[in-house]
């Protein structure tokens, strides 16, 4: 698979008087801002995490109740954050990235401590029928603004990765 070049879509989520504000700090299509309210309560979030976090069958299927719950939750979250100017900026940024043969990396910055445990990785775009973070074209990364420059790791190929999933 060829290496993919990414354009950045810097999205800041912060508290505001109305609830929260999504601000696009930088993107191929410019800047945008939009207020929003969380589409679920704290109890709904906790129930979702408990429901999706454990599978009763031992195997996850594409048409499982857990997958449908994940899509519904992710769609509600996506539609709350990506509305109005922010949605327009996101769509235009996707178009510009596609025109350049690039991906659009969504760099999520959270400036509201209570939102750090929200499973943003479930953002689901109904228009494309996919979770943003599961597409190689739209990875989602949680961005920490750290002082200083991060030095790249020096590795000798091939890179071997061991992944484990607990049950």
């Amino acid at each position: 698979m060829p290496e993919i070049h990414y354009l950045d879509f810097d999205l800041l989520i912060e508290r505001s008087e109305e609830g929260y504000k999504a601000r696009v700090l930088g993107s191929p299509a410019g800047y945008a801002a939009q207020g929003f309210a969380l589409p679920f309560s704290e109890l709904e979030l906790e129930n979702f995490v408990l429901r999706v976090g454990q599978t009763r069958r031992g195997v996850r299927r594409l048409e499982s109740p857990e997958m449908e719950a994940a899509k519904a939750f992710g769609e509600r979250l996506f539609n709350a954050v990506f509305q109005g100017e922010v949605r327009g900026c996101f769509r235009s940024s996707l178009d510009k990235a596609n025109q350049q043969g690039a991906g659009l990396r969504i760099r999520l910055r959270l400036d509201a401590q209570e939102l750090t445990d929200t499973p943003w990785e479930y953002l689901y775009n109904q228009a494309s029928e996919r979770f943003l973070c599961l597409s190689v074209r739209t990875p989602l990364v949680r961005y920490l603004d750290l002082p200083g420059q991060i030095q790249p790791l020096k590795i000798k190929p091939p890179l071997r990765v061991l992944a484990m999933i607990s049950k």
Side-chain angles (χ1 to χ4, degrees), residues 75-96:
E75 184 178 0
R76 286 173 60 195
L77 188 57
F78 180 87
N79 288 335
V81 175
F82 290 87
Q83 59 177 306
E85 290 180 15
V86 173
R87 182 172 288 211
C89 188
F90 179 66
R91 285 183 179 161
S92 296
S93 294
L94 277 174
D95 289 343
K96 289 185 181 205

Side-chain angles (χ1 to χ4, degrees), residues 83-126:
Q83 59 177 306
E85 290 180 15
V86 173
R87 182 172 288 211
C89 188
F90 179 66
R91 285 183 179 161
S92 296
S93 294
L94 277 174
D95 289 343
K96 289 185 181 205
N98 287 333
Q99 289 169 0
Q100 296 179 31
L104 186 67
R105 177 178 33 234
I106 300 147
R107 298 194 316 174
L108 180 64
R109 302 173 189 216
L110 298 172
D111 195 20
Q113 183 66 34
E114 67 274 14
L115 297 180
T116 58
D117 289 336
T118 302
W120 296 96
E121 292 74 16
Y122 282 98
L123 283 168
Y124 183 78
N125 185 354
Q126 179 60 41

Side-chain angles (χ1 to χ4, degrees), residues 30-157:
Y31 307 95
Q34 182 72 44
F36 72 95
L38 286 180
F40 44 78
S41 68
E42 213 171 296
L43 181 61
E44 286 176 301
L45 176 60
E46 187 176 330
N47 286 337
F48 168 74
V49 170
L50 289 172
R51 179 175 184 193
V52 174
Q54 292 183 340
T55 177
R56 290 179 215 67
R57 295 175 198 83
V59 177
R60 295 196 193 276
R61 298 179 323 211
L62 289 177
E63 294 85 27
S64 69
E66 292 85 2
M67 180 61 78
E68 293 307 313
K71 286 180 181 178
F73 175 87
E75 184 178 0
R76 286 173 60 195
L77 188 57
F78 180 87
N79 288 335
V81 175
F82 290 87
Q83 59 177 306
E85 290 180 15
V86 173
R87 182 172 288 211
C89 188
F90 179 66
R91 285 183 179 161
S92 296
S93 294
L94 277 174
D95 289 343
K96 289 185 181 205
N98 287 333
Q99 289 169 0
Q100 296 179 31
L104 186 67
R105 177 178 33 234
I106 300 147
R107 298 194 316 174
L108 180 64
R109 302 173 189 216
L110 298 172
D111 195 20
Q113 183 66 34
E114 67 274 14
L115 297 180
T116 58
D117 289 336
T118 302
W120 296 96
E121 292 74 16
Y122 282 98
L123 283 168
Y124 183 78
N125 185 354
Q126 179 60 41
S128 63
E129 295 183 345
R130 67 177 52 175
F131 294 97
L132 295 182
C133 70
L134 292 182
S135 171
V136 70
R137 293 299 207 182
T138 56
L140 174 77
V141 295
R142 292 182 184 230
Y143 183 82
L144 297 174
D145 202 9
L146 300 173
Q149 188 175 12
I150 299 172
Q151 299 298 320
L153 295 174
K154 295 180 183 179
I155 59 168
K156 289 169 85 176

